[in-house]
Amino acid sequence: MKGFDLTAILGNPEYMAMLAHGIEMTFIIAICSWLQAMSLALVLLAIRFSPGRIGNSIVAAYVSYHRNVPTLVQLMLWYFGIFTILPSALSDWLTAHSAEMIFAIVGLGLCQAAYFSEDLRSGLRSISPGQMEAARALGHGYISAMRNVLIPQGVRNALPALVNHSVSLFKNSSLAIVIGAPELSHAVKEIENLSFRTFEIYLIGTVLYLVFSLIIMAGGAWLTWRADPLNGAAR
C-alpha cells in the first residue's frame, strides 16, 4: 500500500505541466465565459427596461430557463445535442478548433448571462426614481441619464452579487470535464489515472480551486470597497 506522498505529483515535471495547462484552460474558459455573459447581460438588461412587452417576456423566459435547468445539463445539451445537428462543414471546423472548449464557453456564458442580467436589474431597481427625474431636469436625455447617472449606481449596487456569481462561474468551469474540455479538473483526472495517487492529486486540485476562488473573492471585495462612495470620500 502506497503512503501519502505529495512529491510523487509535485516532483514530476510531466504532471506539473499537465496541471499548468489545465489551470491555463480553466482561466481561458472562465474569462471568455465571463466576457460573453456580461456582454449578453447588458443586452438583456436593455431589453428588460424597454417598453415592449414581447421583448420583456422573451428575456424573462430566457432567465427562467437558465436559472432552473442545471448548468451541467445545459453543457451536455450543447455538446451532445446541438453540436450533432450542425452542418457538417461547421462541425468539422469546430472539431478542428477545440469544440469542447468553444461549447464550454458558450454554454457557461449563456447560462451566467441570466444571473448577471438579474443582478444588474436588481441594482438598477434599487435606485430611487428621483435619480432619473433629477438627471432629466439637468438636461440629460434618457440614454445619457442611463449611461452617466443610473447605470454606474446600478453596477455599484450589484457588485456583491456580480462577484458571487463570478466566483460561481469560475467554479462551474470544472463542469466542462463532462464534454472533454482540457481544464483543471480534467487534468486532475488524467493525472489520477496515470499516477494512481488519488488522494494526493485531488487534494492538490481542491487547494488550487480554493486558492483561485479566494483570490477572485478578495479582488471582488476590494473592487466593492473602492466603488463605495463613502470610501471614495475617505480617500
Side-chain angles (χ1 to χ4, degrees), residues 128-140 145 149-150:
S128 169
Q131 294 282 332
M132 174 60 82
E133 297 172 5
R136 298 299 291 269
L138 291 172
H140 289 280
V149 180
L150 271 70

Side-chain angles (χ1 to χ4, degrees), residues 93-179:
W93 185 90
L94 288 169
T95 301
H97 293 83
S98 188
E100 298 85 2
M101 290 282 291
I102 293 173
F103 280 108
I105 291 169
V106 170
L108 290 171
L110 291 176
C111 178
Q112 203 63 42
Y115 292 92
F116 283 171
S117 68
E118 289 300 285
D119 293 340
L120 292 170
R121 178 168 171 254
S122 297
L124 280 174
R125 292 180 66 183
S126 67
I127 300 172
S128 169
Q131 294 282 332
M132 174 60 82
E133 297 172 5
R136 298 299 291 269
L138 291 172
H140 289 280
Y142 177 79
I143 295 177
S144 177
M146 289 291 292
R147 182 176 67 246
N148 298 305
V149 180
L150 271 70
I151 288 180
Q153 294 183 67
V155 171
R156 184 171 64 241
N157 294 340
L159 267 178
L162 289 173
V163 171
N164 287 337
H165 283 135
S166 295
V167 174
S168 295
L169 172 58
F170 172 77
K171 294 187 295 184
N172 284 340
S173 66
S174 64
L175 297 176
I177 188 176
V178 300
I179 61 175

Side-chain angles (χ1 to χ4, degrees), residues 20-218:
H21 182 260
I23 293 170
E24 179 186 1
M25 294 298 103
T26 288
F27 275 98
I28 289 175
I29 291 174
I31 292 171
C32 291
S33 298
W34 191 94
L35 292 173
Q36 176 193 337
M38 185 56 68
S39 300
L40 181 56
L42 293 172
V43 174
L44 296 174
L45 182 68
I47 297 173
R48 260 287 169 93
F49 278 87
S50 66
R53 279 189 167 185
I54 296 178
N56 213 307
S57 299
I58 292 173
V59 173
Y62 177 94
V63 170
S64 179
Y65 166 76
H66 285 93
R67 293 181 69 176
N68 290 286
V69 176
T71 307
L72 179 63
V73 175
Q74 295 181 40
L75 289 176
M76 294 175 71
L77 174 63
W78 273 100
Y79 188 74
F80 297 111
I82 295 175
F83 186 25
T84 61
I85 63 175
L86 293 176
S88 57
L90 180 56
S91 297
D92 292 342
W93 185 90
L94 288 169
T95 301
H97 293 83
S98 188
E100 298 85 2
M101 290 282 291
I102 293 173
F103 280 108
I105 291 169
V106 170
L108 290 171
L110 291 176
C111 178
Q112 203 63 42
Y115 292 92
F116 283 171
S117 68
E118 289 300 285
D119 293 340
L120 292 170
R121 178 168 171 254
S122 297
L124 280 174
R125 292 180 66 183
S126 67
I127 300 172
S128 169
Q131 294 282 332
M132 174 60 82
E133 297 172 5
R136 298 299 291 269
L138 291 172
H140 289 280
Y142 177 79
I143 295 177
S144 177
M146 289 291 292
R147 182 176 67 246
N148 298 305
V149 180
L150 271 70
I151 288 180
Q153 294 183 67
V155 171
R156 184 171 64 241
N157 294 340
L159 267 178
L162 289 173
V163 171
N164 287 337
H165 283 135
S166 295
V167 174
S168 295
L169 172 58
F170 172 77
K171 294 187 295 184
N172 284 340
S173 66
S174 64
L175 297 176
I177 188 176
V178 300
I179 61 175
E183 41 70 61
L184 178 56
S185 59
H186 185 275
V188 167
K189 184 63 178 177
E190 289 296 303
I191 294 172
E192 191 264 340
N193 290 336
L194 292 172
S195 67
F196 300 103
R197 292 281 180 177
T198 302
F199 179 62
E200 290 91 335
I201 188 55
Y202 279 106
L203 175 62
I204 292 171
T206 299
V207 170
L208 287 173
Y209 276 112
L210 175 63
V211 169
F212 293 137
S213 295
L214 290 176
I215 290 173
I216 296 171
M217 290 178 64

Side-chain angles (χ1 to χ4, degrees), residues 5-24:
D5 184 11
L6 278 177
T7 59
I9 304 295
L10 299 177
N12 188 307
E14 179 185 359
Y15 296 160
M16 293 304 294
M18 293 171 67
L19 278 175
H21 182 260
I23 293 170
E24 179 186 1

